[in-house]
Amino acid sequence: MKKKLAKMGKLRLSPNEETMLLKEEYDRRRKLRLQQVREQQKYIALQIRQKVKQRREEQLHQLEEALRAEWQKAQDQKMKALEELYLSSLRAIGEGHRQAKENEPDLEALAKQAE
């Protein structure tokens, strides 16, 4: 009896069953590999999107800085031009009074001439 049990414990698969098990294992590994590849692709795509977003933000920041500097320079130039205009206007006020005094007719000289 023991010999029969020992022989029965060592059952062999039929060639069809063995082929089917090998095919199932191959398909299981293939699906697993496809899942791994898809996960890697998702991760790589995410990294690329993040890099593009970061590069875009950096370019926008650089553009903002350049435009801000250009605007500030233009404002400084306008301010300087207005200051020059203001100072020239102040000088012109005093100059107008001086010219008026110089061109003022000498009433005493005119009176003497008239006599």
Side-chain angles (χ1 to χ4, degrees), residues 7 31 42 83:
K7 284 186 179 181
K31 286 180 185 178
K42 285 181 186 178
E83 284 178 9

Side-chain angles (χ1 to χ4, degrees), residues 49-64:
R49 284 193 302 271
Q50 288 175 344
K51 285 181 183 178
V52 168
K53 184 179 178 182
Q54 182 181 5
R55 191 176 331 139
R56 183 174 182 212
E57 288 175 0
E58 287 174 4
Q59 288 175 347
L60 283 174
H61 183 68
Q62 289 174 354
L63 179 62
E64 177 188 2

Side-chain angles (χ1 to χ4, degrees), residues 30-109:
R30 186 171 176 259
K31 286 180 185 178
L32 183 62
R33 180 65 184 142
L34 285 173
Q35 286 176 340
Q36 289 174 345
V37 168
R38 287 182 183 146
E39 288 297 319
Q40 285 177 342
Q41 289 174 342
K42 285 181 186 178
Y43 180 72
I44 291 170
L46 177 65
Q47 284 182 330
I48 291 172
R49 284 193 302 271
Q50 288 175 344
K51 285 181 183 178
V52 168
K53 184 179 178 182
Q54 182 181 5
R55 191 176 331 139
R56 183 174 182 212
E57 288 175 0
E58 287 174 4
Q59 288 175 347
L60 283 174
H61 183 68
Q62 289 174 354
L63 179 62
E64 177 188 2
E65 290 296 320
L67 289 176
R68 186 178 309 276
E70 185 179 324
W71 179 81
Q72 187 64 41
K73 186 178 178 182
Q75 292 298 317
D76 290 343
Q77 288 176 349
K78 286 180 185 178
M79 182 67 81
K80 196 171 189 177
L82 288 173
E83 284 178 9
E84 288 291 327
L85 184 62
Y86 176 73
L87 291 174
S88 68
S89 296
L90 286 179
R91 279 186 243 119
I93 290 173
E95 192 67 32
H97 287 292
R98 280 190 288 273
Q99 286 180 358
K101 272 191 170 180
E102 288 175 5
N103 291 336
E104 189 175 284
D106 191 10
L107 295 178
E108 291 176 11

